[in-house]
Amino acid sequence: MSFSNDRSVRSARVLDAVPTQLLIGGAWADPASGATFPVSNPATGEELARVADATPDDGRRALDAAVDAQAGFAATAPRDRYDMLMRAYDLLHERIDDLALLMTLEMGKPLAESRGEIAYAAEFFRHFASEALRIDGGYQTAPAGGARFLVTKQPVGPCLLITPWNFPMAMGTRKIGPAIAAGCTSVIKPAPQTPLSMLALGQILLDAGVPAGVVNIVTCTDANGVMEPLIRSGKARKLSFTGSTAVGKILLAQCADTVMRTSMELGGNAPFIVFDDAELDEAVTGAMAAKMRNMGEACTAANRIYAQQGVADEFARRLSTAMSALQVGPGVEDGTQVGPLIDDAGRGKVVDLVADATARGARVLTGGAAPDGPGFFYPPTVLVDVPTDARMAREEIFGPVASVIPFATEDEVVAAANDTPYGLVSYVFTNDLRRALRVAERLESGMVGLNQGVVSNPAAPFGGIKESGLGREGGNVGIDEFLEVKYIGISV
Ligand code: ADP
């Protein structure tokens, strides 16, 4: 049997094993309508599987299951919740090969990146397992004496969790981990492009002993039709969303009616700033990481690369050399470093943004044209002299295109970097400590990478300001998003 045959046999086995129904109340179930929708491989366009297409009624059943399970789950011992999360952590590692293949098939990223994401996803379970044991409170005397303040934290209640397609597993565990740790039940709606990874995760949570109804999964094509009634029902107490700013604003408006708590991880437009005194090779490595992780399909992706005049040409040349050396191909193939984009619309946007920038005077150093053939491939591309009025300087590119913009002074680049409604992450490369800290403080973003191109870490508080979002995921504050503080005043 040839190697590629072996791979297709493995793919068929992995696809055959993944659940395709809804997870409601601890059991896999068909939607009331019996309807399904296709999941396809972005590297080939071929259909991989069909999964349940939930109706609003299915959504209601899932939320009812979460509501029914809430009180019992809130009463579990923190140590029991720790054990569940650690069993799920172990299972993610035990099944990492199959899960990585599944993720690459439905999402496109190279196998090595899928493995990396599953390890990263598992870390959220390990991190929040420990956080379950550290939910604290307080007892103090009122300033005037006499009364005592008892402060305790309680699970916020049933949660709605909506996740995107770009990190189909990690964006799930980043919400499910703290929800379980805090004692909250939930209904999860994954993106329709990549439901299989979440369904596989659902099976892992069942196998890890998470009680029936604690985690429910609803796959659907009509996101608004299924989720809006749940948001407006008053039965869910919290919405955690990762996705576009446009959809985030719609959801915030829906949540306003019941004053539902929200966590919002929305879009970004990350500036990546290289000063003249930076270690240039480190800056190139950092830019490659910040730009090319997930083929550029990340809200943390370097969207505008500002290089100071003294190094701009040399930096762009080295970046272009590194980008053009990357191997593009189906993520399942050995040696692939850049997989396809998620779908035709995703690639179409990249094509349009590049056409817009070049029409306004940007020059292409490498890449710049989508290939023919099946799959939604786009080559690693470097554009220089990108004018500030180019669409790609304002909008998320979400693809493997680096736009390099020269700058003269620190003040000028800080003003340009902050000239956006977004504020998720910024990257700064410099060897001057005082400048590094000064610029990091002046940048309007929730996170800053100093001489590093990756900031994501389950133990660090991830999140944005301005239109990039509300709240933080991970770190020692991540669990607070799923807890309410209750103060009990005591007369002694
Ligand atoms: P992207 O542009 O990256 O696909 P979206 O914000 O459209 O980002 O999608 C992120 C998630 O939000 C997906 O699970 C998607 O199905 C879901 N979604 C999109 N629109 C709505 C909506 N109106 N209500 C609830 N969920 C939605």
Side-chain angles (χ1 to χ4, degrees):
M1 187 183 287
S2 77
F3 196 61
S4 69
N5 266 345
D6 182 45
R7 190 178 292 119
S8 52
V9 169
R10 262 195 68 210
S11 300
R13 179 180 57 72
V14 165
L15 288 168
D16 207 39
V18 70
T20 55
Q21 295 170 290
L22 308 173
L23 178 57
I24 299 181
W28 295 106
D30 283 327
S33 65
T36 58
F37 67 91
V39 181
S40 60
N41 182 342
T44 61
E46 286 164 5
E47 183 172 310
L48 295 167
R50 297 192 71 87
V51 305
D53 195 357
T55 61
D57 264 351
D58 298 311
R60 274 188 276 272
R61 281 196 296 132
L63 181 55
D64 286 346
V67 169
D68 290 348
Q70 179 57 59
F73 193 55
T76 52
R79 179 80 72 196
D80 290 343
R81 304 200 296 272
Y82 170 97
D83 287 340
M84 285 167 211
L85 287 169
M86 287 309 297
R87 281 194 296 270
Y89 168 87
D90 288 338
L91 287 171
L92 279 166
H93 278 284
E94 269 173 36
R95 299 178 194 175
I96 193 166
D97 289 338
D98 286 356
L99 293 169
L101 180 55
L102 187 67
M103 187 182 292
T104 292
L105 287 171
E106 69 172 345
M107 192 274 163
K109 69 182 77 181
L111 275 177
E113 286 200 47
S114 292
R115 288 181 68 89
E117 181 180 337
I118 288 152
Y120 172 56
E123 264 338 296
F124 283 103
F125 283 170
R126 179 153 72 166
H127 174 74
F128 283 108
S130 296
E131 291 297 312
L133 309 182
R134 297 188 196 126
I135 300 169
D136 58 3
Y139 184 79
Q140 82 180 78
T141 304
R148 301 291 189 267
F149 304 159
L150 184 63
V151 179
T152 186
K153 293 180 184 165
Q154 297 178 311
V156 65
C159 300
L160 303 174
L161 313 177
I162 301 178
T163 57
W165 50 261
N166 59 345
F167 293 96
M169 184 78 83
M171 297 303 99
T173 59
R174 186 150 89 171
K175 300 182 190 307
I176 298 167
I180 289 180
C184 295
T185 64
S186 55
V187 175
I188 299 140
K189 193 209 83 62
Q193 296 93 333
T194 58
L196 302 176
S197 296
M198 186 66 77
L199 293 165
L201 181 64
Q203 188 59 51
I204 282 177
L205 292 168
L206 290 179
D207 295 346
V210 173
V214 168
V215 175
N216 305 276
I217 303 176
V218 170
T219 49
C220 67
T221 48
D222 182 6
N224 184 65
V226 172
M227 298 309 288
E228 187 173 2
L230 306 189
I231 293 169
R232 295 194 184 281
S233 69
K235 294 181 180 177
R237 298 305 314 150
K238 157 105 197 171
L239 172 71
S240 178
F241 171 74
T242 299
S244 60
T245 295
V247 171
K249 289 179 183 178
I250 294 170
L251 296 173
L252 280 168
Q254 293 175 2
C255 289
D257 265 356
T258 55
V259 194
M260 193 193 287
R261 278 186 65 176
T262 59
S263 298
M264 295 274 151
E265 293 294 348
L266 309 177
N269 181 3
F272 186 104
I273 304 170
V274 184
F275 285 100
D276 281 345
D277 60 18
E279 296 291 338
L280 217 49
D281 281 331
E282 281 180 24
V284 171
T285 305
M288 293 295 286
K291 181 74 251 179
M292 295 306 292
R293 180 172 178 228
N294 229 34
M295 290 82 72
E297 295 172 316
C299 50
T300 51
N303 212 55
R304 298 166 289 157
I305 301 179
Y306 295 103
Q308 202 164 12
Q309 278 165 352
V311 293
D313 288 346
E314 181 59 15
F315 173 80
R317 194 187 62 73
R318 292 192 204 177
L319 182 64
S320 176
T321 303
M323 289 281 270
S324 57
L326 293 175
Q327 191 168 326
V328 182
V332 293
E333 281 179 13
D334 297 333
T336 293
Q337 291 163 296
V338 184
L341 298 180
I342 188 69
D343 53 24
D344 203 29
R347 183 172 64 170
K349 180 172 180 198
V350 174
V351 169
D352 289 350
L353 291 180
V354 170
D356 170 79
T358 50
R360 292 172 198 265
R363 285 184 300 123
V364 179
L365 288 195
T366 186
D372 294 333
F376 308 113
F377 293 96
Y378 196 87
T381 295
V382 178
L383 301 183
V384 290
D385 302 334
V386 176
T388 48
D389 62 351
R391 277 180 58 201
M392 69 168 59
R394 313 243 139 231
E395 299 174 35
E396 256 184 321
I397 301 170
F398 245 59
V401 177
S403 71
V404 183
I405 306 165
F407 73 92
T409 66
E410 184 179 312
D411 281 345
E412 174 198 334
V413 78
V414 168
N418 288 340
D419 183 20
T420 165
Y422 296 102
L424 186 62
V425 58
S426 311
Y427 304 92
V428 180
F429 279 70
T430 175
N431 267 338
D432 179 336
L433 175 66
R434 294 209 291 179
R435 165 144 65 194
L437 294 177
R438 196 166 58 228
V439 171
E441 287 186 15
R442 292 175 71 192
L443 288 169
E444 296 170 357
S445 60
M447 302 176 285
V448 178
L450 269 185
N451 295 322
Q452 63 178 45
V454 176
V455 291
S456 306
N457 190 310
F462 185 103
I465 62 172
K466 295 160 79 177
E467 292 190 18
S468 286
L470 296 168
R472 294 293 179 268
E473 294 190 308
N476 56 6
V477 293
I479 194 166
D480 291 336
E481 304 276 328
F482 293 85
L483 292 167
E484 290 287 8
V485 174
K486 181 177 279 178
Y487 143 62
I488 303 169
I490 308 169
S491 175
V492 290

